[in-house]
Every structure is written in structure tokens, then in C-alpha cells.
Amino acid sequence: MRLEARKARGLGIGGSLGTGGFFYEPIVSSLGVGSTNVPRVHPPCLVNQMELLGHDFFLFTDADTDRLNLLYRRKDGNYGLIEAQRG
């Protein structure tokens, strides 16, 4: 999904007000929605699994910290990890 920033003259339909008086409107041509169980795993095991399956990301619960994480393949071929914080 791509987000397009536009100067707010009133909040657009489907947009959300951001900082600096801009709102962000989703530009979506097709959006698939699904559900899955989030597995509890140890992160070092996932890179090999992602390579074997050809996936670009993997959502999981870290078995050691019990936190939700997202492991993703970056455009440069390296990997990134987003650790969710409870708010």
C-alpha cells in the first residue's frame, strides 16, 4: 500500500490527519485480507525458513520475550526486525 500526503483543507474521505497539517490517503488498487495463527518461535530459525519458503516477511511471537515481532527482507538483501512495544 502506498500513502500519498496531501495538504489538509479538511479531512479527506478515508484519510487520517497527520503532523504538519497533512493527511495521508491510502492509494490501494487491490488489498487482500487474511488471518493466520502467529507462531511462537526463536528468531534465528526464521531466516532459513524465509529463504526456503521465499517469503519477504514473517510475523511471529518471540518465544523468549513473548513479544510480537516482524522479520522482513530489506531491499538491499539484508534483514530487519521490528519488535512491537505494548502501548
Side-chain angles (χ1 to χ4, degrees):
M1 177 183 345
R2 195 177 92 226
L3 294 178
E4 186 173 292
R6 298 184 186 190
K7 190 70 173 172
R9 287 194 182 105
L11 193 58
I13 297 173
S16 60
L17 191 57
T19 60
F22 287 89
F23 71 92
Y24 296 90
E25 182 176 310
I27 308 298
V28 179
S29 59
S30 175
L31 176 64
V33 178
S35 64
T36 185
N37 292 326
V38 178
R40 292 177 56 85
V41 295
H42 297 282
C45 305
L46 291 180
V47 173
N48 289 336
Q49 190 171 4
M50 284 177 58
E51 291 291 330
L52 290 172
L53 297 173
H55 291 176
D56 292 323
F57 67 91
F58 202 97
L59 182 66
F60 66 98
T61 300
D62 187 314
D64 295 327
T65 64
D66 202 34
R67 287 189 176 164
L68 187 64
N69 290 274
L70 178 70
L71 179 67
Y72 64 97
R73 182 178 299 117
R74 297 167 47 112
K75 290 181 182 179
D76 64 6
N78 292 316
Y79 290 89
L81 179 68
I82 298 173
E83 297 177 320
Q85 302 292 319
R86 297 182 198 264

